[in-house]
Amino acid sequence: MNELANFGLTSSMVDNRESKYKVLLVEDDFAHETLILRSFETHKQYQLTSRHTLADARKALVHYLPDLIITDFRLPDGDGINLIEQFLQNKTCPIIVMTSFGDESIAVKAMKAGASDYIVKSDQSLIELPVVANRVLREWRLILDNKIALEQQSRLTAILEATPDLISIADVDGFLTYLNKAGRRMLGMTMDEDINKIRLVDFHAEEDALLIMSEGIPYAIEHGMWKSNSTFISKAKEEILTSLVLITHKSEQGNIDFFSTVAKDIRSLRSAEETIKHLAYYDTLTGLPNRNELLKQLEYEIDRVRRNNSHSALLYIDLDNFKYINDSLGHPTGDLVLKEIAQRLQAEIRGEDILARLGGDEFVVILTELSNDSLEALSQARKVTKKLNEYIARDIFVENMTFNLTASIGISMFSAGADNGHELLRFADTAMYEAKKAGKNQFEVFHKDMSIQIHRQLALEHKLRKAYSNNEFVLFFQPKNDAMTGQIYGGEVLLRWNDPENGIMAPGHFLDILESSGLIMDVGHWVLKESLKQLASWMAMGIWKPHQRLSINISTRQFQDEHFSHSVIRLIEEAGVPAQCVDIEITEYSLINDLKKSVAKMEELIRQGVSFSLDDFGTGYSSLSYLKNLPVSTVKIDRSFIQDITIDKSDEALVTSIITISKNLGLTVVAEGIETKDQLQILKRFQCDYVQGYYFSKPVPAIEFESLLQQ
């Protein structure tokens, strides 16, 4: 009511006349009062209340809020001017003043004071008073509507002027009619500069302007809206990358009234995205391509070799005894040595060759465009490898110290018959280990006899199939803790193999065999089913709360199965657990084959209450495009970035960026691999949500995890 009163608008004036207009009649002449009341009897939309003195009228107005006041000018205790002046301050309703013959000058005085209208009393004029009331209220409503519209326009303008993004309005010819403060700042225009002869496309590079004219405007006219990234060029020639939305506004008849544009400066966002993208594909220490980029480049090279029926070689380089440098002199010194080795390798290979760092002290070189003759290609690869061995073995000078390192190198030749990059890496890795066995500081070429190693892997696959049949797999659990309070927020399920020969084994010893053999489908289903059964048990015991989530890792093969979503839903229903207690951890690699299908699967489960976490963020294909487009609720920062966060500024900067960007996108952040109090304190400072790692608890069997939950 107070907001309505600010506009002079009472509740009865905005209810589509479901209630009556309330009229306060102030008249001391009984005969005139009676005539007026009778004249309104046939107008059912009015409800009249009478008062006979100015004092009584004022008392009534304390609690009575009329839509119209009709008052005689001359009253026993004053005149109507006093009543008009009282209402003039708030303009709460219109006033009609009645005067006697000969008082026309007084009526003019009343109108100047603020009365909406006046009548000269006569039997006829009093009978026609409802007609005057209708007209006065109609005019009053028009005034109110205009006042409300102006007030709303003022508020909208204030909002537009306060918005940090460029907002503009243009006529049908594209010329600006409005540009907010942020837009003027972005384009380098002053507040008093005339915009009526300016078009936004005038501030674009020619290519972007043509795109807007040829594609953007026609699309917006047909579909209502067009979105794109576009670069503005300010008056100072500054290039500003924006996320631009062009909107067409049409009349009820379908004619174009005007266009509006909203443009957000995304330079900082794009810069952060490019930084994360670079770190996802390139090694932070050496700047070389990492494993992800290497595999991508290797697949390109395999395709090229197939097309050209040519030969290439993959060199797997492992530094001999590098571990002693790290252990005796520390990681900072070891890092300097690795950077020196990377520079030497880069200097000695051709521009068309590819150098990558797999991690640790392992490097890979892809020798491209070798001879079409297989023997000649092998000879070329041997010569390059021998040269690299010699250059690596030269003295290294770091921090007034001299080091002498050697390397063991495995060579895997490939031609049109090569299967995939993983196989080539495995072959080269096998050859490298043969070089180490032969005494180090040399190289070996992979050949058929080395397939013994492959046979060992097949034997391991056989053991794993037997392990699945004999129920040798077990589940361990590691808590996720609130970074600020340390309380358990949830847990992660981790697979272990209770090998009768070797005892409890972590997935690093066998997961790749499960994946390559396809056995991961059966084992993954078992993990999911047993995890949900365990969750149901804890909920029955009352030690698992509805707000806690159990995270279950899902393999790429398992996720890409077309029945995955239905299988998860069925298992949740069979276990009888709330879907909102279930979190599925996936990596970007699981999604890249068909992003549209992946999102559809995820959304099907999200509708049931299941949440998704993006695992190992920063080590795969991590980019803002994934974070923006994937319906994940949580980002997990890989332990490799946490390990040196207390001593490595680049890791600290990366973790800060990931946390900040994720939170701006409304995502929860979990950091893995917390092992020290110092690491935890830094993550607290960065406002990380949750943490997990040995600092709180190592992965433990279910019975031990129950104790943690009870504590």
Side-chain angles (χ1 to χ4, degrees), residues 8 10 96 120 186 214 220 248 388 471 561 606 649:
T10 65
I96 299 175
V120 179
M186 181 185 291
S214 63
T248 304
L388 293 179
N471 297 317
D561 181 72
I606 289 171
K649 291 298 182 183

Side-chain angles (χ1 to χ4, degrees), residues 455-509:
H455 289 310
R456 289 193 187 125
Q457 293 178 340
L458 292 175
L460 178 57
E461 180 182 332
H462 176 73
K463 283 189 67 176
L464 288 170
R465 292 190 183 278
K466 188 176 178 181
Y468 176 70
S469 301
N470 294 342
N471 297 317
E472 294 174 8
F473 291 111
V474 293
L475 298 182
F476 275 44
F477 301 85
Q478 187 175 34
K480 293 182 182 179
N481 300 79
D482 187 298
M484 298 303 170
T485 66
Q487 292 182 341
I488 294 180
Y489 153 76
E492 180 179 2
V493 182
L494 298 164
L495 179 64
R496 295 291 185 267
W497 175 21
N498 189 8
D499 182 9
E501 297 177 7
N502 302 302
I504 298 295
M505 298 179 67
H509 296 284

Side-chain angles (χ1 to χ4, degrees), residues 15 91 116 142 261 289 347 401 470 492 601 652 657:
D15 58 5
K91 291 281 187 180
S116 297
L142 290 174
T261 301
M401 291 180 286
N470 294 342
E492 180 179 2
K601 287 180 186 178
E652 181 178 327
S657 297

Side-chain angles (χ1 to χ4, degrees), residues 70 127 407 453 549 587 589 605 674:
I70 302 175
I127 291 172
Q453 179 67 23
R549 290 183 180 268
T587 63
Y589 187 75
L605 288 169
I674 311 304

Side-chain angles (χ1 to χ4, degrees), residues 103-324:
D103 287 343
E104 286 82 355
S105 60
I106 296 176
V108 172
K109 181 180 178 182
M111 294 293 290
K112 288 182 178 180
S116 297
D117 207 343
Y118 76 93
I119 64 168
V120 179
K121 286 184 180 180
S122 68
D123 289 349
Q124 186 61 35
S125 65
L126 295 181
I127 291 172
E128 294 176 353
L129 188 54
V131 177
V132 178
N134 285 338
R135 178 175 51 77
V136 167
L137 284 172
R138 185 168 60 252
E139 292 173 353
W140 183 258
R141 285 197 300 273
L142 290 174
I143 293 172
L144 291 181
D145 290 343
N146 185 54
K147 186 174 182 180
I148 292 171
L150 290 173
E151 182 70 20
Q152 290 177 336
Q153 182 178 351
S154 176
R155 290 181 178 181
L156 288 173
T157 301
I159 292 171
L160 295 178
E161 290 299 305
T163 301
D165 303 330
L166 177 151
I167 299 178
S168 71
I169 298 173
D171 60 23
V172 293
D173 296 317
F175 290 98
L176 295 178
T177 59
Y178 172 78
L179 181 64
N180 68 345
K181 289 180 181 178
R184 288 176 181 267
R185 283 196 301 270
M186 181 185 291
L187 302 180
M189 300 177 63
T190 62
M191 294 305 298
D192 58 354
E193 195 166 345
D194 185 15
I195 62 171
N196 295 325
K197 296 181 180 180
I198 295 175
R199 301 177 302 172
L200 278 186
V201 290
D202 297 336
F203 287 89
H204 283 288
E206 183 177 355
E207 183 178 345
D208 282 357
L210 287 174
L211 181 66
I212 293 172
M213 298 296 289
S214 63
E215 179 183 319
I217 293 176
Y219 189 92
I221 291 173
E222 182 177 354
H223 301 282
M225 181 185 298
W226 179 72
K227 298 179 181 179
S228 180
N229 287 348
S230 184
T231 300
F232 283 92
I233 301 176
S234 71
K235 282 191 168 184
K237 304 304 179 184
E238 181 184 16
E239 293 188 359
I240 305 151
L241 179 65
T242 69
S243 174
L244 182 144
V245 179
L246 176 63
I247 305 170
T248 304
H249 302 267
K250 297 182 179 181
S251 65
E252 293 181 359
Q253 293 74 31
N255 299 320
I256 299 173
D257 281 345
F258 60 93
F259 297 98
S260 64
T261 301
V262 180
K264 182 179 185 64
D265 186 339
I266 60 171
R267 285 176 294 178
S268 59
L269 197 63
R270 178 59 59 86
S271 175
E273 180 177 358
E274 292 299 324
T275 299
I276 291 178
K277 183 177 180 181
H278 179 82
L279 293 172
Y281 287 94
Y282 291 86
D283 176 49
T284 55
L285 176 65
T286 63
L288 297 175
N290 61 15
R291 176 182 290 271
N292 300 309
E293 180 66 13
L294 168 67
L295 289 172
K296 187 168 66 172
Q297 294 292 335
L298 186 51
E299 293 300 329
Y300 290 155
E301 183 60 17
I302 291 172
D303 288 341
R304 191 193 66 78
V305 165
R306 287 172 181 163
R307 289 194 307 271
N308 300 337
N309 197 27
S310 58
H311 293 83
S312 292
L314 186 147
L315 313 184
Y316 198 116
I317 304 170
D318 185 273
L319 301 180
D320 299 324
N321 302 321
F322 176 77
K323 183 175 183 294
Y324 296 131

Side-chain angles (χ1 to χ4, degrees), residues 312-365:
S312 292
L314 186 147
L315 313 184
Y316 198 116
I317 304 170
D318 185 273
L319 301 180
D320 299 324
N321 302 321
F322 176 77
K323 183 175 183 294
Y324 296 131
I325 294 178
N326 270 344
D327 291 346
S328 60
L329 300 175
H331 287 282
T333 301
D335 288 347
L336 292 175
V337 172
L338 290 174
K339 291 173 71 174
E340 171 65 23
I341 294 296
Q343 290 170 4
R344 290 187 180 187
L345 293 173
Q346 189 74 68
E348 295 306 319
I349 63 174
R350 301 168 301 169
E352 59 266 31
D353 296 330
I354 299 166
L355 172 64
R357 182 189 176 205
L358 285 186
D361 59 347
E362 297 175 327
F363 296 85
V364 167
V365 173

Side-chain angles (χ1 to χ4, degrees), residues 315 348 367 378-393 407 409 411 441-444:
L315 313 184
E348 295 306 319
L367 301 178
L378 176 59
S379 176
Q380 291 172 337
R382 285 175 176 271
K383 288 179 182 178
V384 173
T385 306
K386 183 179 180 181
K387 185 174 66 172
L388 293 179
N389 266 131
E390 293 172 354
Y391 277 99
I392 291 173
I409 304 177
I411 304 174
N441 192 25
Q442 52 190 296
F443 61 87
E444 290 285 349

